[in-house]
Structures are given as structure tokens and as C-alpha cells.
Amino acid sequence: MNLPNEFYRNRKLENLVENQTSYTLNNAALHIFETHEQAERVLLQFDKPVLASMLKGKKIMHLREKQSFNFLPGESLILPSDELMCIDFPEAQANNPTQCLAMAIDEDKIDKVLEHMNELMPKADAGEWSLMDYNFHFTNDVGIYQILQRLLFLFTENHPSKDLFVDNMLEELIIRILQTNSRKIYTEQSFNLSSSNRLAFIVEHIRNNLHNSLSVKNLSKKACMSESNFYRVFKNELGISPTDFINNERIKLAVSLLQNPNKSIKQVYQECGFESRSYFNRVFKSRKKVAPGDYQSKLNVSA
């Protein structure tokens, strides 16, 4: 993710550690932090919910009720209001600064989006959308990456209508983040939730039957829902279609199986439930940007 040229033209470099450039609009404020020298235990706190996203370099985050972890480019973190961050910058240099964005979003704006989601995108089993109240660390998918890149441009642009533009982008960003969080919860806690939640039951069934044929028609029957309603609710809650979710899980399994140099590509795609090598190759390459055979070969060379 790149900072727009407009940012560099207007920003003032006043501090070597967490130099802050801020842009404030009606419902959100965007802060760009740059650190040009190594530092430890730098404290930072916001009075609103914050999306932090790494642009360049590496941070080590120390958060309340969470183990310390590396924070790297392409990753984001959702923080509740008043969360105290303690940050290390082990690799920051004058000619290679760490860069991170922090977007503080008004809670009224978030509440309006949640109200809209609960009205138009109701969750399965009468659940309600709500803002996660813990530190959610995730890798940006393509959709979130593109929104953040667009927001960087909009905040730094001198345009009379940028408040309106940003408002629309914020709504989509909040929805996508909540869907990403929901997808993570269902994936990591599907077993515990499966007895009381239909989608969790379906996720658990998918993960236990990747080697078998899995169709939206049969999954909807297991969920006791019509096919169209199942597809809609699944995509609303997890942010992707059932077929894309199945393929993502199959590719995760394929990556694990390809660690074994004695596994043939045919064995791998059959164990993952793909019906043909050509379809497996296409799906694998779309996710990993490399063919499965080349991926396995690289693993063997580096082993």
C-alpha cells in the first residue's frame, strides 16, 4: 500500500519517532505515523475505535490481554476506544521508516452501519451484528486493501465533496471488517458453536468433508434453509460465497499436503476434493499466485 504524493508534499517531519500527520473529517480522522529510528515501549491511545494498518516496516505490538506480536505490512488491527498500545520499532531507520495508518471512526457512524446491517443483512439464528470488543488482528483481503488505498487518497485529496466520498467508503470498510471477523470466528470456533448456530455447523461440516463433494444445494439442506436464503445469509455473514469459502479451505489443506515431497499433485487435489487437476491448478494459482507444482518444488529446494 502506497501513500499518495499529496501526503509527502504537505506533511511536516517534526519527530523521528511516531511523526504524526492527521486529516480530520466529519465521521473519521486519519493519522499517518512514521518512525525513522529504532525505539521501544512507545505508548499510543485513541478515544475512539481505531483501525490500524501497517504500510511499511515492522512493529512489535504489546496490547492488554493479548500476547505480543509482529505487526507487518498488509495486516490490520481493530482496537476498541481507549485501548493503550505499547509499540516497539526494532528495524526503523532514517532511510527506511516504519509507516502505519490509524483511522479513528466515530462510534455513531459505526452504530448506524450496524443498524443498517441488522435491518438488511440479518444474521442466521436471530443473531445481531455488533462491533467486536477485543483486539482483532487480521490480514487484509483484496477488498479491504483496495478500500484502504482509496481512503488514503481521499483523505489527502483537496476535494469539496471528500466528506461524502469517505463516508461511503467507511460504510463498506466497516461491513467488510465485520464479515472478516465473523469468518474468523466461524473458522476457529466452528466446533464449539456448531450445536447452536447453523452456519457454524455448516462450516464445521465443510472442514470435515473437504475430500467429499460439497454443493450449495446439499449444504442448504443441512442448514434447513432454502438454497437462495442459505447462499444470501452465508455471504452476508462471512463476506464470501459458500463456494469461495470451500475453495479457500481446500487450498489451505493443499498447502499443508504439499509440504510432503512424496505426495503427487494428483494425490493432493483428490484428497482436497477437487474433481480435476486443471480446476485445482486454477484455484490454487488464483490464491497463491503460483502453480501447485512450482509451489511444492520451491518447498523442496528450501528444505
Side-chain angles (χ1 to χ4, degrees), residues 13-46:
L13 190 57
E14 299 174 335
N15 302 297
L16 294 178
V17 176
E18 289 293 68
N19 188 77
Q20 181 177 344
T21 305
S22 298
Y23 307 85
T24 302
L25 297 178
N26 286 340
N27 291 309
L30 176 69
H31 311 281
I32 305 296
F33 292 95
E34 299 176 277
T35 296
H36 290 74
E37 64 180 16
Q38 294 182 14
E40 293 183 347
R41 302 290 167 174
V42 178
L43 301 180
L44 188 62
Q45 189 175 34
F46 295 91

Side-chain angles (χ1 to χ4, degrees), residues 16 35-39 58 89-98:
L16 294 178
T35 296
H36 290 74
E37 64 180 16
Q38 294 182 14
K58 172 184 174 180
F89 302 85
E91 299 175 358
Q93 299 176 9
N95 60 352
N96 189 27
T98 295

Side-chain angles (χ1 to χ4, degrees), residues 67-295:
Q67 290 185 340
S68 301
F69 61 93
N70 292 336
F71 195 23
L72 303 171
E75 298 178 350
S76 291
L77 177 66
I78 304 298
L79 296 159
S81 56
D82 300 317
E83 178 77 11
L84 183 63
M85 294 173 268
C86 182
I87 310 168
D88 298 339
F89 302 85
E91 299 175 358
Q93 299 176 9
N95 60 352
N96 189 27
T98 295
Q99 295 177 333
C100 179
L101 72 81
M103 192 178 313
I105 306 174
D106 284 350
E107 294 192 55
D108 285 346
K109 176 66 175 178
I110 296 172
D111 289 342
K112 287 179 181 177
V113 175
L114 290 170
E115 183 180 341
H116 180 78
M117 292 175 71
N118 283 318
E119 180 181 348
L120 300 179
M121 301 165 55
K123 299 179 77 171
D125 302 312
E128 285 201 345
W129 292 100
S130 60
L131 187 66
M132 67 288 294
D133 57 359
Y134 61 92
N135 300 311
F136 175 38
H137 178 212
F138 62 95
T139 300
N140 301 329
D141 61 21
V142 173
I144 290 175
Y145 172 89
Q146 291 177 343
I147 293 172
L148 291 176
Q149 188 69 73
R150 177 67 176 162
L151 283 169
L152 281 171
F153 172 78
L154 291 174
F155 269 97
T156 57
E157 183 189 27
N158 184 19
H159 194 289
S161 301
K162 70 177 183 179
D163 255 313
L164 177 61
F165 297 156
V166 167
D167 251 13
N168 291 334
M169 297 301 294
L170 284 176
E171 290 185 13
E172 183 179 352
L173 179 64
I174 293 167
I175 291 170
R176 286 185 180 271
I177 288 172
L178 289 170
Q179 289 172 331
T180 301
N181 182 58
S182 183
R183 188 161 66 243
K184 182 176 182 181
I185 290 173
Y186 279 135
T187 302
E188 294 183 350
Q189 303 179 31
S190 59
F191 178 77
N192 293 331
L193 297 173
S194 60
S195 62
S196 59
N197 184 286
R198 280 184 286 182
L199 286 191
F201 170 76
I202 294 301
V203 168
E204 182 70 6
H205 174 78
I206 289 170
R207 299 177 75 197
N208 289 333
N209 290 275
L210 292 173
H211 57 289
N212 294 322
S213 175
L214 294 167
S215 69
V216 173
K217 182 178 181 179
N218 288 334
L219 292 176
S220 63
K221 287 181 179 179
K222 287 186 175 294
C224 300
M225 301 167 75
S226 70
E227 191 171 339
S228 60
N229 190 43
F230 169 75
Y231 185 94
R232 179 183 58 80
V233 171
F234 192 101
K235 193 167 185 179
N236 280 349
E237 285 203 44
L238 278 72
I240 58 175
S241 70
T243 300
D244 283 340
F245 181 85
I246 292 166
N247 282 339
N248 287 348
E249 292 300 307
R250 283 175 167 161
I251 294 304
K252 288 180 189 177
L253 176 59
V255 166
S256 176
L257 295 175
L258 288 169
Q259 311 290 321
N260 183 351
N262 297 319
K263 286 272 188 186
S264 70
I265 300 299
K266 182 177 181 179
Q267 287 176 309
V268 170
Y269 81 71
Q270 288 180 337
E271 289 181 36
C272 294
F274 287 99
E275 295 181 356
S276 70
R277 177 163 181 167
S278 61
Y279 183 56
F280 170 58
N281 285 349
R282 187 163 69 251
V283 175
F284 191 97
K285 195 169 184 178
S286 71
R287 266 68 171 181
K288 297 299 177 182
K289 311 306 177 187
V290 63
D294 293 337
Y295 183 87

